[in-house]
Amino acid sequence: MAEKTDKNTVVVEKTPTVTFTLDGREVTVPKGTTILLAAQSVGIDIPTLCWHPKLTIAGSCRMCYVEIEKWPKLAISCATEAMDGMVVYTDSDLVRKGRAAVIQFTLMNHPLDCPTCDKGGECTLQDLAFAYGVDNSEFDFGKHRFGATENDTTFDDVVVGPEIVLNRNRCIRCYRCIRANKEAFGEFDLGVFERGNHTEINVAPGRRLDNPFSGNLTEVCPVGALTHLDWRYKIRVWLTDTTSSICPFYSSGSNILLYTNQQQNKIYRATSRVNDDIDDGWLSDTTRFGYQVAMSPDRLKMPLIKKDGKQVEATWEEALKLIGKRLTEITEKKGRVCIGGLVASSQDNATLFSFSKLLRKVVGSNNIDFRTDYRMLPQTSGGAYDVLCSQPFSIVGINQSDVIVTLGSDLVKEHPNEYLRIRKAVNFGAVSVYAMNPYRTKSSDVAKKELVYQAGTEEILINSICLVAIEDGLIDSSLAGNLAECISPSTAAESAELCEVNLEDIRAIARALADGRQITFFAGEIVGRSINREAIAAALCNLHRLFGLSGRCQMNILPRHANSCGAVQLGLLPAPVLATKDMLSKLWGGWPESEPQTTDRMMANMKKDEIDGYMIVGANPIMLYPDREFATDALEGLDFLMVADLFETETTALADVVLPLASWAEYSGEYVNLEGRVQKTHQALKTDYDARPGYEIAALIAQQLEQPLFENDQTRDETITKVLAVDSTLPWPDEFLEVKHVADEVDEEYPLVLFVGDDSHHSGYLTEKSNSLTNFQAEPYVEISPTLAKRLGIDDGDSVRVESPVGKIVVPVRISHHINNDVVFVPMNFSGKQVNSLIMRKSRVDRVRISKVVD
Amino acid sequence: MILTPESVTRIKDAAALYPQAKSAILPAITIAYRQVGHLNPDLYGEIAGILDIPAVEVAEAASFYTMFPKEPVGKYLIQVCHNISCALLGAEGLLSYLQDKLDIEVGETTSDNLFTLVRVECLGSCATAPMMQINHDYYENLSRAEVDRIIEKLTAEAQSGGTL
Amino acid sequence: MSFYSPVRTNAQEAAKSDSLPLFRFVEDPEQTKIDTYEAHGGYQAWRKTLTEMTPEQVVGEVKNAGLRGRGGAGFPAGVKWGFVPKGSTKPKYLICNADESEPGTCKDRVLLERDPHAVIEGMAIASYAIDCHLMFIYIRGEFGYAADVMRAAMAEAYKKGQLGKNIHGGGYDLDMIVHTGGGAYVCGEETAQTNSIEGRRGNARMKPPFPAVAGLYGCPTIVNNVETLASVPHIINRGGDWYKTLGTEKSTGSKIFSLSGHVRQPGNYELLLGHNLKDLIYSPKYGGGIIGDKKLKGVIPGGSSTPFLKPDQIDVSLDYESLASAGTMLGSGAVIVFHEETCIVWIITKLIRFYRHESCGKCTPCREGTAWLELLINRIEQGGGKPGDIEKIESICDNIMGRTVCPLGDAAVMPIKSAIAQWRDEWQYHIDHGKCLVETKCELAPGN
Ligand SMILES: Cc1cc2nc3c(=O)[nH]c(=O)nc-3n(C[C@H](O)[C@H](O)[C@H](O)COP(=O)(O)O)c2cc1C
Ligand code: SF4
Ligand code: FES
């Protein structure tokens, strides 16, 4: 084990080991290893019920007995550390009898309703009873039954949340669910009540089990006590096949297994495919239940083309012909630069790369981007923001950190996996977490301090950390250089005041950064979406330099989507970083002359008639662009719009050609996660209608333009591999960057700051097509603090009008402790309400007012 | 709010004593019980709010401890120890005597809402068996005559509007 | 109303004796007041500890005295204190275990209600010995009066400077919290007790780690019984060498015995360890014999979780070793006596109901096993016993014994195993005939 003593020296200490005898063989393991883990390491399986590799040890089921020579009693191997010279038997007569007794006790009140239990076939208790030949015929009394309640459906089942069903009679009281829920997820909607043989797991009084990780509980439960509605009574597990896949919604790419049945051509559920390096075996509910999107009956099944102002069904051939014709017309009439494209970063590498080549090589313009929901992006690349985004990041690195700092990230909503990682670091390590956010988030549960700053002041906040470090002499003064001249205000106190934060809190973060040996520091979507992102990134670069973080900190602005990293690396930025651009121009024998245009610039140019043809793949700017009016005007002003998507959306409604896009579950693809790790999905479903993957669509369009894209799939993939191999990490700036305070005008009429983003059970615009996820949340709402609610005389669930200078919507109120008083949050995941009509692409901070709707 | 300002203050004072606020769950439950006479989820929520902890943790703890009724009970909660030392000296007889006298079964409350009768495990009063606890007080070395006197006294006390 | 326990004691004997220190003043109604306590020599040991002794010396003295835990397990107190890791920078905690819930046991209540300062003084000295600055007393929730007395005594102790900051100018700070329980026998178990104080459910925790290393709030914690701690001031005042002269060689000192059940004079009696059990039951000074001049049937010598003794086994010395050789335990010193008109199965129904009710529910064997045992035993008692039930009970007992997280499982099955071993015929009769061999006659006294 490498034990670091200070920032520079690394002392390698030899880990002490112990040697003991296990079933006659000598085993050496690090001191502190339990007998159970030691046995697992040499391939000896000891049965367990309550033990779970990712949770603290409960030691309650007593299944994992082993016999230790000279010990008076059987020992539980999950909690007993191996010690030098121990002689352990894992399968002696005594052990087998002990375990059989445990099974007998466990079966005593168990209903043994295996024929109708959804866990049948994958139930640990069932397997163990079988292995130890135990039934419960010796127990000749009536079984204890937990009382029926109004919510009861069939048997003894109680629906305790939107998806979760609890059967207390099957529960063996291993407390895995409770531990997972409380420890791993930090959730308190489930509890243990009563005691003795009446001890029961149940939802907290007045709550429902609806936390963003609730689906994991069904996997954690070793028996059929916790199951989910989505899977129940649909199929027996042994009639399913599994296909490995990854989560298409978040940038860490959690590993999943899709349970399918080929005859039915259906996916029945998704479970974790444990990958400790990425997800530790936990999935967010969005990841788990998101597969239903692919199977939605609303899927677009045929191409549509506009005829006489109306979209009508057409064949692929007709549609493609039309695309080819219109694109050619536009290029011929107005030039190549009049065609642009938006390809979402949820698409796989092949799709992204194919469209990139289609636009740059076949069409011949630099009008390509993958960002829908980011306003006013810079035209050029290589600025501070790109530097930060390009930095290496490792998920397990989070757990190796002693200091974790986050900036502008509502973690559970945008990076649920990383949120759980941070929780784990806190639970099992000595780590200090500091979260800085413009509103209170669930990070406050893990953070030593969640620092809530005035919205839109991120860069000043970062400045203040730097300033306090200089003022307090926390850093080597020679490092400070001319920083003070580059930033304003020039004192920590003034900066802190502008951000409305306590200087002491800033000081604590500065101290942690100065002392941290391994730091993880990342910013999230609130920074990414900010119009001010370049200044914030510059401030972060300054901080990196001032604190000398090189070599002891992974700092990044985390990408949000499943393949954001792939998009960047494959050159989907209008102006890719130099190394990538060089590689691509080499491969393609040149580079378009035209000025690179971001989505925002292209939209502006659509209005000016400088972009006439536009192709959108898997994106819905009308719903998500942070200025609905602007986006609508732009797209309506086009001569030709092609949209490929899974569903009809408000964007496809404007299109001249709509193409049915295959979902991630319908073809095999590759995605690059936020660590730069390339991961594969495999085909789990065959569409029985004619939806096609993005890369195929690109190839077909290229054919129409008479310029085939790739010789074949293999050459395409080889090229992709080459491009991905390019190191696109950008160097940190070698000087301090200017970061000055710019005052934000506040319109007194609109006193509340509006944040938009994802609901904790949704991601983007597709998940409202998942039944399970809409069972959790089907509608937008406005989240406000109890204090604000009180001030406005609003109750939970009341309808309110949310008004900004440019728009208004009416939504129900959700009162939440996870928000502060002058901020409101509205999720963007629901198409019915035009949430983005409230925001303007040019505003740094969105402001609204709310009022109760009286009917 | 069900808890009175006094109860809230007492809970806060208790929390201040401990190294961790969560430790005040049991004191808080006790205070709430003493004020209300029984516990319920609304009280758990209030306590959780005061201590700034999840309500489920209060509910979990409260359900573990059997001393606090979770449903309303009569003015006088008669808890008869039926464990071994008391049983040897007539605890079952004591229970049936009380049942007859109050005309209720164990677990029930008299129609005038005065008495609720329950069985409890050993109350640590074994050398003065048989015994019972009524609300917060012990009554020991019981005999039929003694029980008559106690019930009579409490009934009179209740009629004269006496407090607990 | 009988707030103050009307229990009979041998205080008068103790007052005259030089060797029964615990009960010397328990019949003095003024003893709860700090002035009286001090006038009786109270808090001198505390002063001496602070001004003349190092923590090591205190531990040494208590070790030398051979004082063994009075809570049930009989572990040497000084040795336990010595387990607190030296040089640990974490806070250390002392908990005085006043949960007194083991059926038959009612000895601590007398000390709590009648000599609270002795408990506080003992707690303070033990705290000093382990470098603890915040000590707890965990009083079972039903002991409302005892808790009131203790709180009043604590307030006085603060006022008089026996607790608080810079006590007796010696620079030692010590605070105290009176924590009351909520009705749970298992919270008398030390790890469950720490959970309970932390505001958690009173589930037992796995050992190791032992509380002395990681207990309350994860910090080194010593849990001692009320009586153990109340004995400490006497040891400090008069020395371990003196204490050793009391009792037997390995069971030193005096101990309070709670005598209950079918005896003429139930009560709490402080005796030297090594006192004869038969004498305790029959001596006119103590039990005064069996009520109604009935014949003795059996004795539980150390609280409801200890194995039974039959009449021919009661000529035994009440000390840890002798009772162990007799196949039982001194436990908490609760002697429960029952006469010939008591059915053994009936007795066991009371006990198993209790243990089933008090199981915390955490571990499988205790949670399920006690419930199964209760069903089987009730069935036998109600006349529905089936052939093989006795063997089944024995096998369930074996599958609980030594297999649970905390000793509650053992406590539940030890008396059952013993009752079967000692009165097997009676169990068999019950099954064969569907009724008791001896009908239980336990009636409520008419009184006057
Ligand atoms: C189920 C159970 C209940 C117990 N109840 C008590 C109790 O009420 N009082 C007590 O002092 N010890 C009780 N103990 C023993 C304690 O765990 C612990 O050993 C004791 O308090 C230590 O104090 P001592 O060393 O001074 O005896 C109990 C143990 C178990 C297993
Ligand atoms: S519900 Fe399942 S996971 Fe939870 S305690 Fe019961 S058996 Fe274990
Ligand atoms: S797995 Fe070891 S006790 Fe449950």
Side-chain angles (χ1 to χ4, degrees), chain A residues 588-610:
Chain A
W588 295 340
W591 193 254
E593 301 271 281
S594 77
E595 194 201 342
Q597 301 196 47
T598 60
T599 306
D600 188 74
R601 170 66 67 94
M602 283 186 264
M603 286 194 188
N605 284 340
M606 288 170 201
K607 292 197 190 184
K608 291 194 244 153
D609 243 2
E610 287 170 15

Side-chain angles (χ1 to χ4, degrees), chain C residues 405-422:
Chain C
V405 172
C406 86
L408 189 139
D410 297 355
V413 301
M414 281 189 298
I416 301 178
K417 283 174 66 121
S418 155
I420 294 180
Q422 299 265 43

